[in-house]
Amino acid sequence: MPKVGGRVGIGDVAAAAGVSTTTVSHVLSGNRPVRASTRAQVEAAIRKLGYRPDPSARSLRIQRTENVALVVPDITNPFFPQLAAGMQDILHPEGYLISVSDAALPVRSLDAVVQHLLDRRMDGIVMAPHFATPMHHTRIAESGAKLVRLSGSIDDGLGDIVRSDDTAGVAGVVRHLVERGYRRIAFINGEVTAEPGRLRIAGYRRGLSEAGLDYDEDLVKTETFTRDGGMNGAQSLLRRGARQPDAIVCANDLIAVGAMDALRRRGLSIPGDIALTGYDDIEAAALLSPSLTTVHNPAREIGRSCARLLLDRLADGYDGPPRDVVLPNRLIPRESS
Amino acid sequence: MPKVGGRVGIGDVAAAAGVSTTTVSHVLSGNRPVRASTRAQVEAAIRKLGYRPDPSARSLRIQRTENVALVVPDITNPFFPQLAAGMQDILHPEGYLISVSDAALPVRSLDAVVQHLLDRRMDGIVMAPHFATPMHHTRIAESGAKLVRLSGSIDDGLGDIVRSDDTAGVAGVVRHLVERGYRRIAFINGEVTAEPGRLRIAGYRRGLSEAGLDYDEDLVKTETFTRDGGMNGAQSLLRRGARQPDAIVCANDLIAVGAMDALRRRGLSIPGDIALTGYDDIEAAALLSPSLTTVHNPAREIGRSCARLLLDRLADGYDGPPRDVVLPNRLIPRESS
DNA sequence: CTGAAAGCGCTTACAG
DNA sequence: CTGAAAGCGCTTACAG
């Protein structure tokens, strides 16, 4: 029963329980011992009045907002919502609020997003955009907000990093294909200027070498991370005169979709004539026919890790050097291999 | 140059500009006239000190947080991230912070999410889960937070509603097929217990009637909103002895994927033998081959509308009756029709 | 056109 | 084991 004409404050609880606001506060926080009988009275008063502490007052006093932000490059990419969900798994139970900002639009530049979040006094920020610059990281670190990123290097000392192991992921795909009997395994890459391009081809090489297979540069095509890239790469691999591969590892699912178009156009069956694999596990991967063998990025688990790293610094007093967390990913075998 | 040992406050600005904090506050808010020369001095001091107002102090004083929440049933469904992006388009420039909560998990029930958001004193909440109950809406309304929903009826007086016109969307699909010369147009529905099931079959009927075509119940199958549902529905339409349709309208894209599997298995070409359409425009729709004609839900536009309705009540003093906003959607013609 | 001062609802150092 | 009181940084009614 809130009193008429206003919200129930800690003072109302104190009055109802016949104690000071100090004691009510300590019952809530557990920051100092309270006699059991007193505590019981206070708790009864809290329940009876339906008291809920005001977060603005608390924030003002403790100089922390208990708000955390996630900045993403493109909310349309399903990876990022999953990341957000993972953060929630950990942070909601701790009472933190998570705000998600899409920094995709030019009108809403990363500069403006970061400024907005710092103005709002975020306690922690997870920066996912690959186009974030050291300037952004520095601004965040100097504001006192804790920082976690999804790529780059911890050498700048500006915060923790969480990522999944793309190289191991692709190596796992190669191992899977070798186990199934494939031997002439080709690779269609996207841009090698992008970090995933470099990491994934490294995985391809590692996979071959672990299987004792030679690296053959005729079997590797560097295109773009698009459907067209996959189409071009596959056509180039299948050109007349070339010794054909029996499997094609693609650096992402979109490339695999394009390669699938090209194979189908040539009347080749998948995986009968040629096996095909992707990377990312986009929604379409399961819906294509044949469904696409791929690697699932542990987006949710990455989100959880980000949240835990943040929480270490925010709530658990960790103040050590930046940490670099590398998570395993998961092969999803489907019909295409 | 923040002074050492603490953040720059409004008092520091006032001292630097040689005015009172009252005046600094009014320069920032524009709530009362300030002499141009005074304003200039204050603005210079703000710039020089890099002053940014503290949102907790402001919230405590004005008794609003300028925080808005979006609650979704499943962040994995790409519709909802788009909705969030649309809200951001409108609310970020106004200085609002948006928090997104996934209420999917049983461990994180809708009850708990709503409670968490009310504890955090959200000024406004957009409730997207179809499984939200009147109890949730009532709790929100009673807390004083403004409410916007994506379905239901405004008759309960508990807040505004924004939705897209599923019925018109499916009617548009039928019109499109008729324009392309198709006449025996079948419909595979999902569960009619779900609101989309009811609205979409209504669109099918409206489309037929607008085209002067008769409704033939042999051409309508009620299944589930899944790939299996589509497979079953298509098999049932194509069973021997039945007069075959020349087009199949599916109540969502997943159903269309299943129907595509069934048609392919029968050796039927799409759209040569039978045209096929979906609804929702999931990512896979563009990646299938043939790519799928479908209807795009204007998720981002819905998000913008939700934000505007909230802003009307939060910032612009609107205090009238609940509003029901119905947005048009967009036919995406692709190869399958 | 401007200022002094109260007060929003908490937490915590200080005191007992 | 408990309380009185200061103070976090703003906004605004009141006064001039």
Side-chain angles (χ1 to χ4, degrees), chain A residues 10 22 25-26 51 57-58 61:
Chain A
I10 198 171
T22 304
S25 179
H26 283 114
Y51 169 70
R58 174 175 163 79
R61 180 59 232 248

Side-chain angles (χ1 to χ4, degrees), chain A residues 134-322:
Chain A
M135 189 262 295
H136 295 118
H137 299 149
T138 305
R139 287 246 299 271
I140 292 168
E142 282 183 350
S143 81
K146 303 308 176 192
L147 173 66
V148 177
R149 292 116 83 197
L150 297 196
S151 64
S153 153
I154 54 172
D155 295 346
D156 57 16
L158 294 178
D160 303 311
I161 295 182
V162 180
R163 52 210 165 96
S164 79
D165 193 341
D166 281 22
T167 301
V170 177
V173 168
V174 173
R175 188 179 325 120
H176 159 84
L177 290 169
V178 169
E179 281 166 5
R180 303 238 166 176
Y182 299 99
R183 286 297 175 272
R184 271 189 68 75
I185 301 173
F187 186 70
I188 306 178
N189 203 359
E191 298 87 337
V192 286
T193 49
E195 181 143 322
R198 290 193 296 275
L199 298 174
R200 292 177 192 180
I201 180 118
Y204 169 71
R205 299 190 77 138
R206 185 197 294 174
L208 290 181
S209 112
E210 285 173 359
L213 295 172
D214 287 334
Y215 176 84
D216 174 355
E217 66 179 16
D218 288 347
L219 289 178
V220 174
K221 303 295 168 189
T222 302
E223 304 286 342
T224 58
F225 281 107
T226 61
R227 189 177 194 169
D228 281 348
M231 169 75 84
N232 293 336
Q235 280 170 340
S236 165
L237 286 168
L238 301 175
R239 75 191 179 288
R240 84 188 77 238
R243 239 187 92 207
Q244 294 206 355
D246 58 9
I248 302 177
V249 173
C250 300
N252 79 354
D253 290 342
L254 241 34
I255 292 177
V257 170
M260 194 177 278
D261 293 337
L263 297 186
R264 188 173 284 132
R265 197 169 292 183
R266 293 286 266 257
L268 295 168
S269 88
I270 306 167
D273 296 317
I274 298 192
L276 192 65
T277 67
Y279 200 103
D280 285 344
D281 195 26
I282 62 176
E283 182 189 23
L287 298 176
L288 294 167
S289 77
S291 58
L292 185 67
T293 293
T294 186
V295 176
H296 187 78
N297 242 346
R300 190 153 195 148
E301 206 39 70
I302 291 175
R304 288 184 179 153
S305 274
C306 289
R308 285 195 203 95
L309 293 182
L310 240 27
L311 224 42
D312 285 347
R313 297 187 184 270
L314 257 25
D316 299 338
Y318 175 80
D319 196 27

Side-chain angles (χ1 to χ4, degrees), chain B residues 185-265:
Chain B
I185 301 171
F187 187 70
I188 305 177
N189 204 359
E191 298 88 338
V192 287
T193 47
E195 181 143 322
R198 291 193 296 274
L199 298 175
R200 292 176 191 180
I201 180 119
Y204 169 70
R205 300 190 75 137
R206 185 197 292 175
L208 291 180
S209 112
E210 283 173 358
L213 296 172
D214 286 335
Y215 177 83
D216 175 355
E217 67 180 16
D218 288 347
L219 289 179
V220 175
K221 302 295 168 193
T222 302
E223 305 286 342
T224 57
F225 281 106
T226 62
R227 188 177 194 167
D228 280 348
M231 169 75 86
N232 293 337
Q235 281 170 341
S236 166
L237 284 167
L238 301 174
R239 75 193 180 284
R240 83 187 77 236
R243 241 186 92 205
Q244 294 206 354
D246 57 9
I248 302 178
V249 173
C250 300
N252 79 355
D253 290 342
L254 241 36
I255 292 178
V257 170
M260 194 177 278
D261 293 337
L263 296 186
R264 188 172 284 133
R265 197 169 292 183

